[in-house]
Amino acid sequence: MRKEDCFYLGKIVKKYSFKGEVLAKLDTDQPELYESLDAIFLNLRNNLVPFFIEYSQLHKSELLRIKFEDVDEEADADAIMKSELYLPLDLLPKLEGNKFYFHEIIGFTIEDVNHGKVGTIKAINDSTAQSLFEIDRNGIEILIPMNDEFIVKVDRGTKTILVETPEGLIDLYL
């Protein structure tokens, strides 16, 4: 399995018991969707390796307590500590309306209510407090905050996102 065919689910953050159980911090608003998985991919030395799950359950709401097959003691758990967890893209729940996954909108066109076509989304910058659309407009980079108040409509059919940005924001770049 290639990383491009998967989505990041979370990371193993600590050991839970001397029987090899671990706790994973999930990067999701709906951790309950991932409570009864059969298998998951762990990123070990930049390779996605499948691990089968004996059982799992939510622990203190945002952590998932996992017992993997063949991880039976503390030393086994130590070997997978801090590993990132991945699942195939086809296991992502489908989103509708103005909700979207970051990977899904790369290549979409951004149109502004007042400015018309702004450009094409080349990336999402989520390393800041507010995630940003990184837009290419004929070689000029334009950054627009991914604020629900700015997003008017997501049209998957035409691969377009209609936004209404505050006056002057796009003009800063032009």
Side-chain angles (χ1 to χ4, degrees), residues 16-66:
Y16 183 76
S17 72
F18 62 89
K19 297 177 186 170
E21 292 175 305
V22 294
L23 293 176
K25 176 126 179 60
L26 301 184
D27 184 27
T28 177
D29 296 334
Q30 298 176 296
E32 63 280 356
L33 293 177
Y34 305 100
E35 197 171 6
S36 55
L37 297 170
D38 297 325
I40 200 161
F41 290 96
L42 270 60
N43 188 4
L44 301 175
R45 291 178 294 286
N46 284 326
N47 290 313
L48 292 187
V49 179
F51 274 71
F52 294 95
I53 298 173
E54 277 183 30
Y55 59 84
S56 63
Q57 68 183 58
L58 284 179
H59 180 78
K60 295 183 181 172
S61 75
E62 85 271 358
L63 295 173
L64 186 65
R65 180 174 148 195
I66 306 171

Side-chain angles (χ1 to χ4, degrees), residues 90-110:
D90 58 3
L91 292 182
L92 270 177
K94 295 287 180 237
L95 295 180
E96 295 178 359
N98 287 348
K99 294 185 177 187
F100 52 82
Y101 295 110
F102 290 176
H103 71 270
E104 161 186 30
I105 59 165
I106 303 301
F108 274 39
T109 299
I110 289 276

Side-chain angles (χ1 to χ4, degrees), residues 112-172:
D112 184 80
V113 170
N114 301 311
H115 283 273
K117 184 177 176 189
V118 178
T120 304
I121 299 172
K122 63 179 183 180
I124 301 299
N125 181 341
D126 61 352
S127 63
T128 58
Q130 169 87 54
S131 295
L132 303 167
F133 292 115
E134 288 185 13
I135 302 160
D136 177 50
R137 179 184 177 118
N138 304 324
I140 299 170
E141 182 181 66
I142 298 175
L143 302 174
I144 296 178
M146 292 175 61
N147 185 319
D148 289 343
E149 294 173 22
F150 298 170
I151 300 170
V152 177
K153 183 176 185 214
V154 176
D155 188 335
R156 288 173 173 81
T158 61
K159 295 190 171 223
T160 304
I161 297 178
L162 182 64
V163 295
E164 186 169 2
T165 58
E167 190 175 326
L169 177 68
I170 293 174
D171 295 326
L172 289 170

